Structures are given as C-alpha cells and as structure tokens.
C-alpha cells in the first residue's frame, strides 16, 4: 500500500452523519450534487477548497448518528484519502471500509493537527507523519483482509477480485 498524502481538515468530537451530509440533501439523485453539501454546516466552503487525497481528522465518535451510507459516499465522491479519528461510530467505520476509504484510529490526534497540515499516512508501517515537523503518530493496524478491501477500493471490488468471475 502506498502512503496517503494530503492536507488535513480538522473537526472535533461527535461529528454526526447529518453534519457530514445534511438530511435535506438525501433526495438528490446524484452523488456529485450531494457532495457539494459535504460539511456545509461546519465548514461552509469545504466543497470549494477540498482536494483529492485530503484527509479528515477528528476526535471521538466520528460518524455517529444515522447509519446512512451517503455520509461515506460523499467523502468517496470528493476523493478523500482517509479519515483519521480517535474513535468511530462502528457503522460509519464499516461503511468506510466497505467503500474503500481508510478509517484510521489514532487516539488523541485531533488536538495535535491543524487545518492545512500536510499529512502522510503509511498504513503498512502504522504511522502518520506531519510534513515539516518531527511529529509522528502511531495508528491502530488494519487486518490483512481490511487492507485488501481498501486496496481494491471497497468490498464489492474485493469480492469480485476474489471470485474471479465465479458465479454465486
């Protein structure tokens, strides 16, 4: 797995799925249109400023609230490189892995990173480094199967790669 590099977007504790993508946009039929509203209540110009590969950094219980998969789908649409948090709502965590976005547990990182810090995440080595700084942070390791799912960009792709065309 190659390292993930991107600018940090720092949010606090208990960021819920309605803050990631408000309920009022669930009726939009296009993921691209929904993505325009990502984090708009927390960071109004997020959509205009976020770049592919950028990294979400948060505190505890990131992705709490409803089990809506759209909260992860909009992050995938924006090509977010990873979400790093002290802890995750388990449904959000599983949705992230299933859709191929690394959801990385790194306790206490939220208070150490600033918006715009350039992060490099080496999942294999289990470390996050901050560019221009001697700071580095240990991350909880992924199992081999989770690494494989992420490498395949999600569970569906992983399934078809493993099945190699075999019928169900």
């Amino acid at each position: 797995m190659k390292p993930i590099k991107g600018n940090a977007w720092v949010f606090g504790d208990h960021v819920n799925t309605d803050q990631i993508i408000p309920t009022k946009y669930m009726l939009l039929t296009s993921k691209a249109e929904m993505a325009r509203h990502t984090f708009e209540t927390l960071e109004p110009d997020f959509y205009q400023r976020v770049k592919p590969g950028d990294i979400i950094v948060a505190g505890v219980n990131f992705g709490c609230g409803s089990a809506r998969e759209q909260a992860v789908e909009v992050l995938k649409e924006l090509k977010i490189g990873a979400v790093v948090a002290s802890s995750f709502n388990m449904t959000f965590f599983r949705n992230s892995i299933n859709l191929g976005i690394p959801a990385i547990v790194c306790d206490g990182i939220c208070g150490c990173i600033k918006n715009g810090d350039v992060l490099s995440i080496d999942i294999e080595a289990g470390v996050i480094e901050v560019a221009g700084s001697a700071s580095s942070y240990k991350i909880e390791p992924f199992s081999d199967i989770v690494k494989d799912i992420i490498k395949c960009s999600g569970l569906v792709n992983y399934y078809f790669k493993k099945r190699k065309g075999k019928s169900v």
Side-chain angles (χ1 to χ4, degrees), residues 104-161:
I104 299 167
V105 176
C106 184
D107 192 30
I109 194 168
C110 186
C112 303
I113 303 297
K114 299 183 306 293
N115 270 337
D117 281 352
V118 178
L119 305 181
S120 178
I121 304 170
D122 188 331
I123 291 174
E124 296 292 339
V127 68
I128 298 173
E129 295 178 337
V130 182
S133 153
S135 299
S136 66
Y137 305 90
K138 296 290 275 172
I139 61 176
E140 289 188 14
F142 285 131
S143 67
D144 289 340
I145 192 167
V146 169
K147 288 181 200 174
D148 286 347
I149 291 168
I150 291 168
K151 285 178 195 173
C152 290
S153 296
L155 186 60
V156 172
N157 293 336
Y158 171 81
Y159 172 80
F160 284 111
K161 180 181 177 189

Side-chain angles (χ1 to χ4, degrees), residues 52-126:
D54 281 357
I55 298 165
I56 305 299
V57 177
V60 297
N61 201 23
F62 186 84
C64 58
S66 74
R68 73 170 79 128
E69 194 173 71
Q70 292 92 340
V72 178
E73 289 176 337
V74 294
L75 299 179
K76 186 170 180 103
E77 181 70 26
L78 294 172
K79 297 178 176 45
I80 294 298
V83 180
V84 180
S86 293
S87 65
F88 290 91
N89 168 278
M90 289 313 298
T91 303
F92 181 92
F93 179 86
R94 193 67 243 176
N95 285 339
S96 291
I97 300 304
N98 288 349
L99 291 174
I101 296 178
I104 299 167
V105 176
C106 184
D107 192 30
I109 194 168
C110 186
C112 303
I113 303 297
K114 299 183 306 293
N115 270 337
D117 281 352
V118 178
L119 305 181
S120 178
I121 304 170
D122 188 331
I123 291 174
E124 296 292 339

Side-chain angles (χ1 to χ4, degrees), residues 24-44:
K24 64 184 176 182
Y25 300 114
M26 293 298 98
L27 295 177
L28 295 174
T29 57
S30 157
K31 288 180 191 154
E33 186 60 32
M34 285 174 59
R36 293 174 167 269
H37 304 284
T38 304
F39 290 119
E40 74 178 15
T41 61
L42 299 176
E43 190 76 39

